[in-house]
């Protein structure tokens, strides 16, 4: 009614007014209006304060645009990316790194650092320990240190949850790691969805993508022994790894596969008495609980066996004491804890203490129901699902129960779902509540089956109303088929799979292997499955009326076509894709963007079928529609250009392919800049504001470093004018405080030079790079990375400015530095040799270039084998050189070998040709080995 309802609310409002950066929404009116106003306000805050973009009226109106739903596919072409799976991993990492103290991990950090620094080849490092020994905590803390101190190292991690969950599916893990590699190497290529091929091809993808990354790659898989059929599906771990790749996996001692026990192993020792005391004290101090000397000694004596001095047990012990310390008898709870000789029995004590704190048998019964239903689910249960499953459960009771269960490490949250925080907690629940065995588990699963069946709002049968699409969320698709599989009910599983929206949901989120495994369980091969889906769609079409329903039908036909294409059933994929195209042309418009999508997918089938004429016509139509709909510089246009370029590459039309690739690259580069300034550097604006506040004081080395960091942050946001101001201030302050010859001044000079290079002020950049090089030559070791960095960039700048004579000694110095750093036979040395050889070719000094190419070729062949892409690039360059010297027979022979490698590579990666600017350095390509107009085309990587 416009009045403050109580004194406490008035006090709250007064407090809020004094809190920095708080936002109060003052609203008088209906609840729904208030909720809508809050929604708009929070959305505006997220866009303006976090993403750093302006919120316009037009943006607000277009938030519900259905075309946005296809955006994730643009990132990786036709590869389907599940944002939920990625979010789950981020949360798992954050949870793993939460700890009240470090547990004396420094000695383990040194061993992990030694692994990264060790020369290749090296097998994976095994981090072993008992359940709850702190393996996840160790790895997550070390990842944080690596991210802080080694920014050029690419770290890919995967934390496996409990067995049978989505996070433990091998095909999804490998797909996620491959896509993350592709993302960091800016590679957009077709990726197979067939689980067997995906697992088989991963080592080759790792080899290919690691070769593009300038730095080390560390792959960390926590609890790898929990992966379904780990030894079978992780065979790539046994093969030699690429030179710049290191792998760390953690396992429980009892469940480690025998073949892996030969790897170098880092075993986590039980906690010593000092760490035990530190961990318990930290938990008690957080609750203002003080232990007597006698109590501390009693705990120390108790925590001496292998099962009572692991990290999880001691943490749980500390939380148990802290929880009752202010309200109960500490000696009594200590006595009870000392009777628990392992983590499961301690969890049982914790659960019983929570039960005793509940006021009624009804609440105790609800506690049992919550824990059991979470335990039998596939990936967990949400709070709203629990309240719908148990209508008698009030929000107040649920909040109280979850607070206790979360605080005592029984439950945690992952992507909004409640799940068990540790495997031992679920084992305890089974012992406490499910002693009757499978019958009890089956009854709880059946309860979930009935709930998620109800969520579909229709009987699970072949035909479905249009409204069912709205109800088939990722939750229904994730849980229902899995529950039927666990129940062994093949008939209901079969009917569930024929719910077209369930299958579409699983496929569109990339859960291809899961979907295929369900079909295999019901005894259907690929062809039978395809026929049943198509029959179901035709049946569904009979009941489809109106534009909305037909658009939905077209989406289903397209999903089926793509699914069959991924399975290699090309002849069966054409019909559903063709039908999708026909429906969209009729229901929408022949020039609608969704028509272009259908044309693109149909063309992809014809490419695999090697019907290139059909594919070219369809791709051109899709390109024309996309240009008219989005404009000539949209990422969708770049996708069509890439597809056409790949098609021309397959037909040996290299000149046409290269033109389209260049055009596509410019579009993607521009889009990446725009996306980067908006989303990719999401929190840089806030960080910049924080740093500005720190630099208002006097001249100090720290303030100068902060100014330099500010300049870099604004540079990353493409705000070059502001970046220049901060970098200049940093340089001036460093010269005043440290002297003009200090290496920190060289860093500022180097960064300013890079900025001027970006702005095409090459003369200014040259002057600053030369000053930086002079300082670093005098101050740093001859093989120092910072010296190598400046040498490389100044050499490239000289070459860009046409000052080739000045570039030569720097390129030669680059070779020398790499030889000192890595040894004479390292691939990095070969890359430097190729760069120097290209420069000599530009200067018409083919005689000097020849031995450099030949030496680089030997190094690449010794390091990567005779069929590696870098070998192919070098052979191609040698072919051009031989042609220029008039040795046409040798040129043809070399070029033939290069093309054989290229063709083998194309087969390996599903038909996507690599960029001409490969990681083999500065390369030039042969347009036609036998053409009289053959020429050198130089490119800077």
């Amino acid at each position: 009614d416009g009045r403050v309802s109580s004194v406490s609310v008035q006090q709250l409002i007064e407090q809020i007014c004094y809190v920095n950066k708080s936002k109060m929404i003052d609203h008088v009116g209906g609840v729904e209006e208030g909720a809508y106003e809050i929604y708009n306000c929070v959305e505006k805050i997220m866009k303006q304060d976090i993403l750093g973009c302006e919120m316009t009226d037009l943006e607000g109106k277009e938030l519900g645009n259905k075309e946005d739903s296809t955006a994730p596919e643009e990132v990786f072409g036709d590869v389907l990316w599940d944002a939920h799976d990625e979010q789950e991993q981020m949360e798992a990492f954050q949870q793993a790194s939460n700890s009240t103290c470090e547990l004396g991990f420094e000695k383990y950090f040194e061993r992990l650092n030694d692994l990264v620094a060790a020369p290749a080849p090296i097998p994976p490092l095994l981090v072993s320990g008992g359940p709850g020994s702190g393996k996840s905590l160790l790895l997550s803390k070390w990842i944080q240190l690596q991210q802080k101190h080694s920014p050029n190292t690419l770290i890919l991690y995967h934390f496996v949850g409990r067995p049978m969950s989505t996070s433990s599916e091998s095909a999804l893990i490998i797909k996620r790691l491959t896509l993350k590699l592709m993302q960091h190497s800016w590679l957009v290529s077709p990726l197979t969805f067939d689980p067997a091929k995906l697992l088989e091809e991963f080592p080759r993808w790792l080899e290919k993508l690691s070769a593009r990354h300038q730095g080390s790659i560390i792959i960390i898989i926590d609890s790898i022994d929990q992966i379904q059929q780990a030894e079978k599906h992780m065979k790539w771990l046994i093969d030699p790894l690429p030179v710049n790749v290191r792998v760390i996996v953690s396992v429980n001692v009892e469940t480690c596969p025998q073949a892996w026990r030969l790897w170098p192993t880092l075993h986590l020792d039980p906690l010593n008495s000092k760490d035990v005391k530190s961990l318990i004290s930290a938990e008690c101090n957080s609750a203002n609980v003080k232990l007597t000397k006698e109590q501390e000694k009693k705990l120390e004596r108790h925590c001496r066996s292998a099962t009572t001095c692991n990290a999880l047990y001691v943490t749980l012990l500390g939380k148990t004491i802290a929880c009752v310390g202010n309200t109960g008898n500490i000696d009594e709870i200590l006595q009870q804890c000392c009777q628990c000789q392992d983590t499961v029995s301690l969890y049982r004590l914790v659960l019983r203490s929570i039960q005793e704190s509940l006021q009624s048998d009804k609440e105790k019964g609800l506690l049992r129901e919550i824990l059991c239903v979470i335990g039998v689910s596939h990936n967990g249960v949400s709070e709203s699902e629990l309240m719908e499953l148990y209508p008698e459960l009030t929000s107040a009771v649920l909040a109280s129960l979850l607070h206790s269960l979360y605080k005592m490490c029984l439950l945690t949250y992952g992507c909004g779902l409640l799940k068990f925080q540790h495997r031992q907690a679920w084992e305890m629940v089974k012992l406490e509540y499910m002693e009757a065995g499978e019958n009890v588990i089956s009854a709880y699963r059946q309860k979930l089956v009935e709930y998620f069946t109800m969520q579909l709002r229709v009987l699970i049968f072949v035909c479905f109303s249009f409204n069912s699409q709205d109800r088939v969320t990722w939750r229904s698709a994730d849980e229902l088929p899995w529950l039927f599989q666990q129940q062994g009910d093949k008939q209901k599983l079969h009917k569930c799979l024929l719910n077209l929206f369930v299958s579409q949901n699983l496929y569109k989120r990339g859960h291809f292997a899961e979907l295929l495994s369900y079909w295999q369980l019901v005894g259907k091969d690929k062809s039978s499955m395809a026929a049943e889906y198509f029959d179901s769609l035709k049946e569904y079409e009979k009941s489809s009326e109106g534009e909305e329903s037909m658009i939905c039908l077209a989406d289903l036909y397209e999903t089926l076509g793509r699914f069959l294409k991924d399975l290699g059933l090309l002849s069966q994929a054409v019909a559903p894709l063709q039908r999708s195209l026909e429906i969209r042309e009729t229901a929408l418009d022949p020039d609608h963007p969704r028509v272009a999508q259908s044309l693109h997918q149909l063309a992809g089938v014809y490419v695999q079928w090697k019907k290139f004429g059909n594919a070219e016509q369809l791709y051109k139509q899709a390109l024309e529609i996309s240009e008219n709909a989005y404009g000539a510089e949209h990422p969708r246009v770049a996708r069509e250009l890439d597809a056409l370029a790949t098609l021309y590459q397959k037909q040996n039309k290299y000149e046409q392919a290269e033109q389209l690739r260049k055009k596509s690259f410019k579009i993607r580069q521009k889009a990446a800049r725009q996306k980067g300034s908006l989303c990719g550097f999401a929190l840089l604006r806030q960080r910049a504001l924080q740093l500005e506040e720190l630099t208002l004081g006097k001249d100090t080395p720290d303030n100068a470093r902060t100014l330099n960091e500010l300049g870099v942050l604004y540079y990353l946001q493409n705000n070059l004018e502001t970046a220049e101001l901060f970098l200049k201030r940093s340089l001036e302050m460093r010269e005043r405080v440290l002297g003009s010859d200090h290496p920190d001044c060289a860093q500022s000079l180097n960064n300013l030079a890079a900025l001027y290079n970006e702005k095409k002020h090459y003369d200014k950049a040259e002057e600053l790079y030369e000053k930086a090089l002079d300082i670093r030559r005098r101050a740093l070791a001859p093989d120092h990375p910072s010296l190598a960095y400046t040498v490389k960039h100044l050499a490239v700048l000289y070459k860009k400015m046409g000052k080739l004579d000045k570039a030569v000694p720097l390129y030669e110095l680059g070779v020398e530095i790499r030889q000192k750093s890595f040894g004479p036979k390292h691939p990095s040395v070969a890359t430097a040799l190729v760069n120097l050889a290209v420069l000599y070719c530009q200067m018409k000094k083919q005689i000097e270039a020849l031995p450099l190419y030949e030496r680089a070729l030997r190094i690449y062949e010794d390091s990567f084998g005779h069929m590696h892409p870098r070998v192919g690039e070098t052979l191609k360059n040698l072919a051009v050189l031989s042609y220029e010297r008039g040795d046409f027979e040798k040129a043809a022979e070399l070029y033939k070998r290069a093309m054989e490698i290229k063709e083998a590579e194309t087969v390996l990666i599903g038909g996507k040709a690599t960029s001409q600017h490969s990681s083999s350095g500065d390369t030039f390509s042969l347009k036609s080995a036998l053409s009289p107009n053959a020429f050198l085309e130089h490119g800077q990587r």
Side-chain angles (χ1 to χ4, degrees):
D1 298 326
R3 298 191 302 272
V4 174
S5 58
S6 68
V7 175
S8 59
V9 173
Q10 181 62 48
Q11 290 173 345
L12 175 65
I13 291 172
E14 289 172 1
Q15 287 173 345
I16 287 172
C17 293
Y18 293 103
V19 175
N20 185 29
K21 293 193 177 183
S22 66
K23 177 74 175 177
M24 185 167 68
I25 301 166
D26 192 1
H27 171 72
V28 178
V31 173
E32 289 188 3
E33 290 176 9
Y36 183 72
E37 190 167 329
I38 291 168
Y39 177 91
N40 287 337
C41 183
V42 171
E43 179 184 68
K44 186 176 179 182
I45 290 168
M46 289 171 71
K47 283 212 162 192
Q48 290 184 335
D49 293 354
I50 299 179
L51 295 179
C53 60
E54 295 303 318
M55 178 76 170
T56 64
D57 292 338
L58 183 63
E59 284 177 41
K61 290 174 187 173
E62 292 181 347
L63 287 173
N65 189 340
K66 287 186 178 180
E67 284 299 313
D68 291 344
S69 64
T70 58
E73 292 183 29
E74 290 178 11
V75 181
F76 296 109
D78 292 333
V79 172
L80 302 169
W81 176 269
D82 189 2
H84 169 267
D85 290 346
E86 190 58 30
Q87 176 68 17
E88 184 179 48
Q89 281 302 307
M90 290 168 64
E91 291 183 7
F93 171 70
Q94 289 164 0
Q95 181 192 318
S97 58
N98 286 337
S99 173
T100 48
C101 62
E102 290 297 321
L103 303 177
F105 280 164
E106 291 79 6
K107 59 182 178 181
Y108 300 130
F109 291 156
E110 290 178 14
R111 178 74 187 278
L112 292 168
N113 291 338
D114 290 343
L115 169 86
V116 175
I122 184 169
L125 177 71
L126 209 62
V127 176
S128 74
S133 56
K135 300 182 292 294
S136 302
L137 176 62
L138 168 66
L139 291 176
S140 59
K141 291 288 187 186
W142 185 72
I143 289 170
Q144 290 176 332
L145 288 173
Q146 285 292 309
Q147 289 171 336
K148 180 179 179 181
H149 298 301
S150 304
N152 292 331
T153 299
L154 172 59
I155 301 177
L156 305 177
Y157 59 79
H158 188 91
F159 286 79
V160 179
R162 71 177 197 190
M164 307 295 287
S165 67
T166 301
S167 67
S168 69
E169 291 178 11
S170 53
L172 278 178
I173 294 170
I174 294 299
K175 187 195 77 171
R176 178 177 172 270
L177 293 176
T178 306
L179 291 181
K180 295 292 280 185
L181 278 167
M182 289 168 65
Q183 182 185 29
H184 282 277
S185 60
W186 290 85
L187 181 68
V188 180
S189 288
L191 185 67
T192 179
F193 274 71
D194 188 314
K197 288 184 180 176
L198 194 66
L199 294 165
E200 180 188 333
E201 292 177 5
F202 179 69
R204 283 170 279 181
W205 272 109
L206 185 60
E207 174 71 37
K208 176 181 178 57
L209 296 171
S210 65
R212 298 172 69 98
H213 182 72
Q214 297 300 305
S216 298
I217 297 174
I218 302 173
I219 298 175
I220 297 170
I221 304 178
D222 180 50
S223 300
I224 193 170
D225 49 326
Q226 301 301 315
I227 294 174
Q228 300 162 28
Q229 296 181 294
E231 201 167 0
K232 175 185 174 184
H233 293 145
M234 295 288 154
K235 286 181 178 176
W236 61 274
L237 291 169
I238 299 172
D239 298 329
L241 297 167
V243 289
N244 60 335
V245 175
R246 300 289 182 272
V247 175
I248 302 169
V249 298
S250 75
V251 294
N252 279 331
V253 177
E254 302 86 354
T255 53
C256 177
Q258 192 63 39
W260 298 356
R261 295 176 187 264
L262 301 174
W263 294 343
T265 303
L266 172 61
H267 186 75
L268 268 60
D269 299 321
L271 299 182
N272 58 40
S273 57
K274 180 184 175 184
D275 290 333
V276 169
K277 183 179 179 181
S278 172
L279 190 48
I280 292 175
S281 297
E283 293 292 347
C284 291
N285 291 341
S286 66
N288 293 319
V289 172
K290 298 291 183 185
L291 298 177
T292 65
K293 293 289 184 184
E294 186 58 37
Q295 288 167 343
E296 286 180 353
K297 286 180 180 177
K298 188 171 184 178
L299 283 170
E300 186 182 335
R301 287 195 298 271
H302 173 62
C303 297
R304 284 182 178 175
S305 70
T307 55
T308 59
C309 61
N310 69 58
L312 177 57
Y313 183 94
V314 176
T315 301
L316 196 55
L317 183 61
K319 286 181 181 294
T320 305
I321 296 166
C323 186
V324 300
N326 288 322
T327 57
N329 187 326
I330 293 181
D331 287 323
E332 183 181 338
I333 195 66
L334 266 179
Q335 186 63 35
Q336 293 173 2
C337 288
C338 288
Q339 293 172 5
C340 301
Q341 294 301 315
D342 58 39
T343 307
V344 172
S345 58
L346 187 56
Y347 262 129
R348 207 164 192 171
L349 177 65
V350 167
L351 178 63
R352 286 176 180 170
S353 69
I354 293 173
Q355 288 172 333
E356 290 169 8
S357 70
L358 299 177
Q359 296 176 353
S360 67
D361 290 340
K362 179 183 175 182
E363 289 182 2
K364 291 176 183 177
L366 287 170
L367 172 65
R368 170 194 175 117
E369 295 298 300
I370 288 170
L371 291 172
C372 289
V373 84
I374 289 171
V376 302
S377 66
H378 188 197
N379 289 311
V381 180
S382 71
E383 291 182 29
S384 59
E385 287 166 352
L386 285 173
M387 295 189 72
E388 289 176 359
L389 279 161
Y390 302 101
E392 68 274 24
L393 180 62
T394 64
S395 57
V397 170
L398 178 62
S400 177
L401 288 173
L402 295 183
H403 173 70
S404 299
L405 293 168
Y406 180 81
K407 184 172 69 172
M408 298 309 295
C409 299
L410 274 96
L411 296 183
T412 187
Y413 289 87
C415 290
L417 299 180
L418 288 156
K419 51 189 74 178
F420 286 102
Q421 192 160 333
H422 298 282
R423 190 159 47 88
Q424 294 92 323
W426 169 228
E427 289 172 5
M428 176 275 296
V429 168
K430 285 192 286 187
L431 288 171
E432 185 74 9
Y433 293 135
M434 298 180 170
E435 287 182 320
E438 280 300 317
N439 290 337
V440 179
I441 293 175
S442 181
Y444 280 108
R445 282 190 186 135
Q446 187 57 37
K447 188 172 185 68
L448 285 176
V449 164
E450 291 167 6
Y451 171 77
F452 285 111
T453 301
M454 181 191 70
Q455 294 301 302
L456 297 180
R457 295 173 63 180
V458 288
L459 289 173
I460 301 173
F461 201 66
V462 176
C463 301
F464 300 91
S465 67
F466 173 68
N467 290 335
S468 66
Q469 183 194 26
D470 300 328
R471 298 296 296 175
V472 181
T473 62
W474 66 274
R475 291 292 297 132
S476 303
D478 264 4
E479 294 290 336
L480 203 49
W482 184 85
L483 287 164
F484 284 136
Q485 181 193 47
Q486 296 303 306
Q487 294 285 68
D489 195 334
K490 294 183 182 180
Q491 187 178 2
K492 287 184 178 178
L493 174 60
H494 188 202
K495 289 181 179 179
C496 180
L497 293 173
L498 288 174
N499 180 325
L500 303 167
F501 298 111
V502 169
S503 296
Q504 183 188 48
N505 189 289
L506 282 170
Y507 173 76
K508 283 205 163 186
R509 291 190 295 115
H511 290 224
F512 186 94
E514 186 182 344
L515 185 55
L516 209 54
S517 70
Y518 292 144
W519 277 102
Q520 289 167 350
L521 185 67
V522 298
K524 301 288 182 179
D525 61 17
K526 293 178 183 179
S527 296
S528 302
M529 177 190 68
E532 289 196 30
Y533 270 138
F534 199 59
D535 289 343
S536 297
L537 264 173
K538 286 190 287 186
E539 195 67 31
Y540 174 78
E541 188 170 353
K542 293 176 184 177
S543 62
S544 297
E545 295 178 2
E547 183 180 313
E548 285 284 326
S549 188
M550 293 305 289
I551 291 170
C552 168
L553 178 66
D555 290 346
L556 288 169
Y557 270 120
E558 183 190 288
T559 301
L560 177 58
R562 292 175 66 173
F563 184 36
L564 299 179
K565 184 184 79 170
D566 290 334
L567 285 169
L569 302 173
L570 302 180
S571 58
Q572 288 167 281
V574 170
L577 289 173
Q578 187 70 49
R579 184 65 188 129
S580 170
L581 175 61
E582 292 165 3
I583 293 170
R584 284 173 176 169
E585 285 179 330
T586 305
L588 296 168
D589 185 83
D591 292 327
H592 194 278
R594 284 179 178 250
V595 173
Q597 171 73 5
S598 289
L599 291 165
H600 178 92
Q601 295 299 338
L602 190 55
V605 175
Y606 284 127
V607 169
Q608 285 192 25
W609 218 349
K610 300 200 183 309
K611 295 188 176 183
F612 298 138
N614 298 29
E616 183 176 2
Q617 184 183 356
L618 294 170
Y619 276 140
K620 284 181 174 177
Q621 284 179 261
L623 177 61
E624 184 181 351
I625 293 171
S626 297
E627 285 179 332
N628 291 335
Y630 299 114
E633 296 190 341
H634 194 275
R636 290 292 181 94
V637 174
R639 183 175 78 156
E640 303 306 336
L641 291 169
D642 274 334
L644 262 175
T646 301
L647 181 65
Y648 288 142
Q649 187 87 21
K650 286 177 177 290
Q651 299 175 80
N652 300 326
K653 299 177 180 178
Y654 299 115
E655 190 168 352
Q656 290 168 272
E658 190 62 26
Q659 288 173 354
L660 294 176
R661 284 200 196 288
K662 285 179 178 177
K663 192 174 177 182
S664 166
F665 179 75
K666 286 180 181 176
I667 295 171
R668 290 190 186 279
Q669 194 176 42
K670 185 176 180 180
R673 282 181 183 278
Q674 291 170 347
K675 186 179 286 187
S677 61
L678 177 65
C679 303
F681 309 108
L683 297 173
L684 292 191
R685 185 180 178 207
Q686 277 192 343
R687 177 68 176 141
L689 291 171
Q690 292 165 1
L691 290 173
E692 284 185 54
E693 293 171 6
L694 297 174
T695 58
L696 299 176
K698 59 183 180 180
D699 289 2
T700 65
D702 283 344
N703 276 351
R705 185 168 59 252
T706 303
L707 285 166
N708 181 72
E709 187 184 339
L710 266 171
V712 173
L713 288 175
Y714 280 114
Y715 176 86
L716 290 172
Q717 295 175 79
N718 209 30
N719 188 343
L720 300 184
E721 301 307 319
T722 308
E724 184 178 353
L725 289 173
F726 281 110
L727 290 174
K728 280 183 173 178
R729 280 182 62 192
S730 170
L731 176 60
E732 290 164 3
M733 190 179 290
R734 280 173 164 172
E735 286 178 338
R736 286 196 298 271
V737 175
L738 302 170
S740 57
D741 290 336
H742 195 276
D744 284 2
C745 293
Q747 183 192 49
S748 292
L749 288 164
N750 208 91
N751 290 343
L752 260 176
L755 184 140
Y756 287 133
N757 188 30
E758 180 79 11
K759 295 171 77 173
K760 295 185 169 53
H761 297 169
Y762 297 134
D763 290 336
K764 286 184 178 179
E766 179 186 5
E767 181 186 350
L768 295 175
Y769 271 137
E770 286 175 345
K771 283 184 180 178
L773 179 60
D774 182 54
I775 294 170
R776 285 179 165 171
R777 265 182 158 160
R778 285 185 278 111
L780 304 176
D783 58 348
H784 196 281
S786 295
L787 176 61
Y789 182 92
T790 306
V791 166
K792 181 176 77 172
H793 284 83
L794 181 55
V796 169
L797 181 64
Y798 281 149
K799 187 177 170 188
K800 191 185 295 183
M801 297 171 73
K803 299 182 178 182
L804 304 185
D805 289 332
K806 294 182 83 172
V808 168
L810 292 181
Y811 272 105
E812 289 174 340
L813 181 57
V815 173
E816 190 180 322
I817 290 172
R818 292 194 187 193
Q819 285 185 151
K820 287 179 180 176
S821 300
F822 304 111
K825 295 185 178 181
H826 194 275
S828 182
V829 174
T831 300
L833 290 166
V834 169
N835 291 341
L836 180 56
V838 170
L839 184 65
Y840 278 138
C841 287
Q842 275 189 291
M843 299 170 73
K844 307 298 181 188
K845 295 183 177 180
Q846 280 83 357
I847 295 173
E848 286 88 341
L850 182 60
L852 299 175
Y853 275 133
E854 289 174 338
R855 184 183 164 199
L857 179 63
R858 287 194 298 273
I859 294 173
Y860 282 144
E861 286 179 334
D862 291 343
S863 301
F864 302 127
H866 291 267
M867 295 300 287
H868 194 275
R870 293 196 189 182
V871 174
E873 289 284 351
T874 312
L875 285 167
K876 192 163 60 173
N877 291 341
L878 274 169
V880 174
L881 204 57
S882 299
Y883 184 88
E884 289 289 321
R885 299 177 66 195
D887 192 345
F888 303 125
E889 188 175 339
K890 186 176 181 182
E893 180 190 339
L894 292 167
Y895 188 71
K896 182 183 176 185
R897 275 188 64 197
M899 287 303 99
E900 285 171 356
I901 294 171
K902 191 74 172 176
E903 286 166 12
E905 182 191 6
T906 303
V907 171
L908 168 63
I909 61 170
K912 181 78 174 180
T914 55
S915 167
Q916 177 188 323
H917 306 300
S918 77
S919 56
S920 55
D922 296 351
T923 64
F924 54 89
S925 66
L926 185 63
K927 286 213 170 181
S928 172
L930 303 177
S931 164
N933 296 319
F935 67 100
L936 303 180
E937 180 179 312
H938 301 271
Q940 174 59 38
R941 180 170 55 78

